[in-house]
Amino acid sequence: MSHNLTYEVNFRVRVDTKPGEVVCIVGDTPRLGSWNPKKALQLSRDGHHNDDGETWSRCVKIPELQNVNYRFFCGRIFEAQHEDEEACDIIVTRWEANLQPRRISPLAYCTKENCQVGVAEFGKYDGKKRIDGGWLTGQTEIRLHLYNNPLHFWKTRHQSQSYSVKCTPMDLRYRDCLMDDDDEVSQDCMVTQGPVPVEAAVLNGSKDNDFHEQDRYGMIYEDGDYMVFKAQAFEPEFLGFTLDFYVNNPSASPGYVPKHVGYAYVLPVNIKESKGTKTFPISGLKHRPIGQITFEYLIIKPMFNHECNMEVSYAQHWKRQRRPVDVGHRGMGTSYAESSARLAPVRENTIASLSEAASHGADFVEFDVQLTKDLVPVVYHDFHVALTLRKKRKDDLQLFKVPVRDLTLEQLQALKTHHVIEMSQNKDLNIDTVDAAEIQPFPTLRQLFQSLDPHLGFNIEIKYSMQLKSGTFESEHYNERNAYLDIILKEILEHAGKRRLVLSCFDPDVCTMCRLKQNVYPVTLLTMGVTALWEPYMDIRTHTIPVGANFARAEGLLGINVHTEDLLKDPTLIKKVKDMGLILICWGEDNHDANNITYLKQQGVDGLIYDRISEFGTKENVFKMEKESKLRLLKDMGLISSSSRSSSGSDSDAGSSSERESPPREIMPRLTSSCYNASSPRKELDRSRSVIDAAGNVPARKFSLQASH
């Protein structure tokens, strides 16, 4: 009778943890949670500490012949709120996001009795280091935005001072406890500070751009600042906030204690919608109102019925040594404009236009996605479409503007529709033509995934109505944010396959929500910049490249997608953005010039979005060229046969994380393996230090592990 040898592996890692954080290990085996952070194993401190942090460790038994892929992550564990709940909740605060996971093969490592290889450094292995922030694994994030001079004090002496604002979470759940006879309710029972700290940042200017825990007296608000407080909770209906206000004295000596002048309460009953604006009274220390504070709030919920895991993430991955990518704007370009000069030869945002761009060597195509009335993601740029109507007692047809979201997919594809620009062009509406399927408007997002070359990358702009500086909205009474984004993201995660993909939006809050709802795809912020071509948005985060870049870095976005006019005015902005670790893509009519394209590529932009890609030289898709080059190299090395396919999408250089023998993967995930359905039952997070029993009677051999190679 044969027995499989089992090794007791001592996983050790050094991490500089924050108060309340624990370190966990997750991997591709059931014992390590099958990449599900809720089923991960918690490590324990082993008492060793230096300037780089504490050492955490955990022994796990692994069969001799089993290869294990794994990652470390930091998080905060929450006990079940009710005794009948089996699972604990966990908030992932940081995790190792290198493209490839760590790997251990006990048979290869343990060739001797003593195979200890040291302590791993969190996030660093295989010569690379990448640590990413967490996403919403089940909790909700609530944000308070202070901008446009939100503090208003009524006394003149208060108005001339500057203030620090401190935001403190309150847990408003009822807890059984003793109450004094003289008190209506014991304060310690009803209102307690929340277990998750509030983080804060100022997203413009040069100070506190990154989110961090607040100082003892909060953060100083100055005119023109955009200040954000954020906190997360699994039961947001019980999360409230106290805002305390302290007088700021710029000339004070060290150790000065600022004067506390007032406070305001923000209760969950007051912030019900996904986004809104509220005004609350500021009470003085004598409990009388002394002013008011106005702020905008944002509630970000986890995706409904879809959860991502830790197998692989491309959210921060971009091959920076690659040449700048060429992106076809709406495929072959804009086909509707006030004038007919230099319009695209094929109708924009159609399968034909996107395919034509791919055939001329586009690396990516950029297109716009929004929802129909029956909640189907379709590709169309404008928020409105024109329908032909015949008035009573008149034979003439007229065009009538209707929001895209008020029509179902069947109506959009069956009715005779026109672009809204055509309403002012005196077109003959009696011409009855039926376009071929590939040039008809409103293809679904799923159709694009199924029909376009799999080597072609997608830059998906998620359309969402924004407020203009004049106070009007691009489209009134738009969809609720969380449900709207959940539908689009779910379609992407379930049908994108291995395709390279980048998400973008002009709405900064939509970018933040896309970043927090999933951990697979990168997100970039679109900025309008300083231009006279269009009316600017109300949101100041879209106004300039420096403000947009600060926002993108604070939110963990991949980069920004800027208006080229700003770069031509000040090319030094390119280096400033890239020095912040962000990628920079540019768009706009200035890109429709060959000299500008060459100049911007020389200056170091990572990509250009432009029309009529066929007119600017012969190109070949960079991803297809890289793949063919890798295949040739592998054939020359004798690692694959000469009959191996070189053009099939199924043989692209992305694969599941278990395919370590294949060439390194790039920005293409395998969604069927990196995400699982949220309806899967949650198991209790194993925080025990005991080791599971191994099959067979051979005793386990112990050794310590650092990292994989």
Side-chain angles (χ1 to χ4, degrees):
M1 179 177 179
S2 62
H3 300 281
N4 290 327
L5 187 65
T6 300
Y7 296 101
E8 190 174 70
V9 181
N10 185 19
F11 293 94
R12 298 193 298 165
V13 62
R14 183 174 291 113
V15 190
D16 185 12
T17 55
K18 300 177 182 179
E21 277 188 335
V22 298
V23 181
C24 300
I25 183 173
V26 66
D28 61 356
T29 69
R31 180 59 179 152
L32 296 180
S34 299
W35 294 121
N36 182 353
K38 297 176 183 177
K39 300 178 182 179
L41 297 179
Q42 181 180 336
L43 279 62
S44 300
R45 293 182 177 90
D46 66 5
H48 296 88
H49 187 279
N50 60 23
D51 294 339
D52 296 326
E54 299 175 296
T55 300
W56 294 67
S57 64
R58 172 86 185 230
C59 289
V60 182
K61 286 188 176 180
I62 299 177
E64 177 186 27
L65 301 179
Q66 184 174 21
N67 297 323
V68 176
N69 297 306
Y70 65 98
R71 301 179 190 271
F72 295 111
F73 70 91
C74 298
R76 301 178 187 273
I77 294 178
F78 293 78
E79 300 291 345
Q81 299 298 329
H82 304 287
E83 294 182 358
D84 57 346
E85 290 186 2
E86 295 183 357
C88 292
D89 290 315
I90 186 164
I91 291 178
V92 177
T93 53
R94 294 171 289 159
W95 66 296
E96 296 182 323
N98 282 337
L99 206 56
Q100 301 286 356
R102 299 178 185 266
R103 194 181 200 196
I104 169 61
S105 175
L107 187 62
Y109 269 91
C110 211
T111 56
K112 299 179 180 179
E113 287 295 332
N114 183 10
C115 16
Q116 188 160 320
V117 292
V119 180
E121 178 182 345
F122 183 69
K124 184 177 182 179
Y125 56 95
D126 290 346
K128 300 176 182 178
K129 184 173 183 178
R130 179 169 292 147
I131 299 172
D132 202 2
W135 70 100
L136 299 181
T137 57
Q139 75 275 25
T140 294
E141 182 162 296
I142 299 176
R143 296 179 168 226
L144 307 182
H145 297 183
L146 279 62
Y147 63 97
N148 196 22
N149 302 321
L151 301 177
H152 299 278
F153 289 93
W154 296 333
K155 290 187 177 181
T156 304
R157 63 184 179 90
H158 288 160
Q159 295 174 359
S160 60
Q161 297 171 325
S162 62
Y163 295 88
S164 293
V165 184
K166 176 72 176 289
C167 181
T168 305
M170 298 186 299
D171 185 350
L172 303 178
R173 287 171 294 190
Y174 179 80
R175 293 188 175 91
D176 294 330
C177 57
L178 297 175
M179 293 189 297
D180 297 331
D181 293 338
D182 297 335
D183 295 336
E184 180 181 355
V185 177
S186 171
Q187 184 175 358
D188 292 335
C189 297
M190 292 298 293
V191 180
T192 60
Q193 181 170 336
V196 178
V198 170
E199 292 187 330
V202 176
L203 300 181
N204 62 303
S206 59
K207 60 174 185 176
D208 296 331
N209 286 320
D210 296 323
F211 279 100
H212 59 274
E213 294 187 18
Q214 303 169 91
D215 296 332
R216 182 177 180 182
Y217 301 106
M219 296 177 59
I220 299 172
Y221 182 88
E222 298 178 351
D223 289 348
D225 279 350
Y226 196 108
M227 184 179 291
V228 179
F229 298 102
K230 66 176 184 178
Q232 297 182 349
F234 286 95
E235 296 182 290
E237 63 271 23
F238 300 115
L239 179 63
F241 300 94
T242 301
L243 299 176
D244 290 290
F245 304 93
Y246 301 88
V247 176
N248 175 46
N249 185 355
S251 60
S253 59
Y256 167 77
V257 177
K259 180 181 178 182
H260 185 210
V261 296
Y263 60 90
Y265 290 126
V266 180
L267 303 180
V269 70
N270 303 124
I271 48 176
K272 291 290 188 181
E273 305 296 329
S274 292
K275 183 176 181 178
T277 302
K278 292 290 183 179
T279 299
F280 288 96
I282 299 174
S283 298
L285 301 186
K286 295 183 179 180
H287 311 296
R288 295 177 181 176
I290 60 173
Q292 64 185 33
I293 180 171
T294 300
F295 62 84
E296 185 178 82
Y297 69 86
L298 177 67
I299 299 177
I300 309 174
K301 299 178 181 179
M303 280 190 66
F304 176 72
N305 261 354
H306 201 99
E307 295 184 19
C308 293
N309 62 32
M310 288 185 164
E311 182 180 4
V312 67
S313 172
Y314 303 85
Q316 294 296 324
H317 182 71
W318 186 270
K319 194 173 181 180
R320 298 176 189 272
Q321 65 270 30
R322 177 184 286 135
R323 67 161 172 80
V325 295
D326 295 290
V327 185
H329 180 226
R330 306 182 199 173
M332 287 298 290
T334 303
S335 57
Y336 301 101
E338 297 295 339
S339 65
S340 59
R342 299 189 62 75
L343 296 180
V346 187
R347 178 183 282 162
E348 65 183 50
N349 278 334
T350 60
I351 292 176
S353 183
L354 299 167
S355 297
E356 185 74 4
S359 70
H360 285 92
D363 305 312
F364 280 81
V365 285
E366 182 273 345
F367 54 85
D368 313 271
V369 172
Q370 55 186 303
L371 292 184
T372 63
K373 184 179 181 179
D374 50 345
L375 306 181
V376 178
V378 295
V379 178
Y380 197 73
H381 175 268
D382 290 64
F383 288 103
H384 297 84
V385 65
L387 301 178
T388 54
L389 293 177
R390 191 182 302 276
K391 288 189 175 182
K392 290 182 178 180
R393 301 174 184 174
K394 289 187 178 181
D395 293 333
D396 292 339
L397 295 174
Q398 292 189 351
L399 293 179
F400 181 73
K401 188 167 73 171
V402 179
V404 171
R405 64 181 179 83
D406 286 347
L407 298 171
T408 66
L409 175 64
E410 182 181 8
Q411 291 170 334
L412 287 168
Q413 294 184 339
L415 294 173
K416 182 74 173 178
T417 60
H418 299 265
H419 194 277
V420 291
I421 287 181
E422 296 179 280
M423 297 178 68
S424 60
Q425 292 181 341
N426 298 319
K427 294 191 65 174
D428 185 356
L429 303 179
N430 291 296
I431 298 177
D432 190 13
T433 59
V434 178
D435 295 323
E438 63 271 14
I439 62 172
Q440 288 188 8
F442 304 104
T444 66
L445 179 57
R446 189 178 304 185
Q447 283 180 289
L448 267 55
F449 284 133
Q450 295 171 346
S451 60
L452 296 179
D453 185 341
H455 294 97
L456 181 66
F458 284 2
N459 183 337
I460 300 178
E461 179 186 339
I462 297 178
K463 302 292 290 187
Y464 199 86
S465 174
M466 292 182 65
Q467 188 177 21
L468 301 172
K469 201 164 187 179
S470 61
T472 61
F473 284 84
E474 294 175 301
S475 181
E476 297 290 341
H477 311 296
Y478 213 63
N479 306 59
E480 191 273 329
R481 288 171 181 266
N482 280 288
Y484 180 87
L485 293 177
D486 285 355
I487 293 169
I488 294 176
L489 292 175
K490 191 170 187 290
E491 188 81 355
I492 292 170
L493 291 168
E494 293 184 353
H495 298 284
K498 301 178 181 181
R499 191 182 299 276
R500 294 171 175 85
L501 195 149
V502 177
L503 304 173
S504 63
C505 188
F506 279 104
D507 189 322
D509 292 332
V510 168
C511 291
T512 298
M513 296 172 79
C514 288
R515 175 70 177 87
L516 288 174
K517 284 176 175 286
Q518 55 87 41
N519 70 338
V520 179
Y521 289 116
V523 182
T524 61
L525 172 70
L526 280 159
T527 66
M528 183 170 288
V530 181
T531 181
L533 297 176
W534 309 281
E535 181 182 354
Y537 291 121
M538 184 74 75
D539 197 317
I540 64 172
R541 293 172 290 180
T542 68
H543 288 182
T544 66
I545 291 177
V547 173
N550 287 337
F551 165 80
R553 187 177 68 174
E555 298 293 351
L557 306 186
L558 179 66
I560 56 176
N561 200 328
V562 307
H563 191 217
T564 299
E565 182 180 342
D566 287 353
L567 299 181
L568 296 178
K569 291 177 181 176
D570 184 3
T572 64
L573 291 171
I574 298 174
K575 184 177 185 303
K576 292 177 181 177
V577 170
K578 295 178 74 68
D579 285 347
M580 296 172 68
L582 302 170
I583 72 158
L584 180 65
I585 300 174
C586 58
W587 62 277
E589 294 186 2
D590 290 310
N591 285 357
H592 306 160
D593 180 280
N595 293 328
N596 287 343
I597 292 174
T598 301
Y599 173 74
L600 291 167
K601 287 183 176 181
Q602 291 172 346
Q603 293 299 309
V605 299
D606 295 287
L608 296 97
I609 302 174
Y610 55 98
D611 290 359
R612 304 179 305 280
I613 198 168
S614 60
E615 299 179 9
F616 297 93
T618 303
K619 303 176 183 64
E620 186 173 351
N621 182 285
V622 65
F623 308 121
K624 187 178 294 185
M625 289 194 301
E626 289 176 355
K627 179 187 168 184
E628 292 173 350
S629 176
K630 290 177 183 177
L631 289 174
R632 284 195 300 270
L633 178 61
L634 293 174
K635 290 176 184 177
D636 293 341
M637 296 173 64
L639 298 179
I640 61 174
S641 66
S642 59
S643 61
S644 298
R645 292 175 295 173
S646 62
S647 60
S648 171
S650 62
D651 289 336
S652 66
D653 56 346
S656 68
S657 63
S658 62
E659 298 171 345
R660 296 279 292 189
E661 294 79 15
S662 62
R665 295 162 297 165
E666 299 177 21
I667 76 168
M668 303 184 298
R670 186 178 190 135
L671 273 303
T672 56
S673 59
S674 65
C675 296
Y676 59 90
N677 196 299
S679 61
S680 302
R682 296 184 299 175
K683 302 294 184 182
E684 180 177 359
L685 187 74
D686 187 349
R687 290 174 287 126
S688 170
R689 297 196 63 190
S690 62
V691 183
I692 62 173
D693 292 333
N697 301 318
V698 181
R701 296 164 61 185
K702 295 183 178 180
F703 70 102
S704 296
L705 174 70
Q706 178 186 11
S708 61
H709 296 282

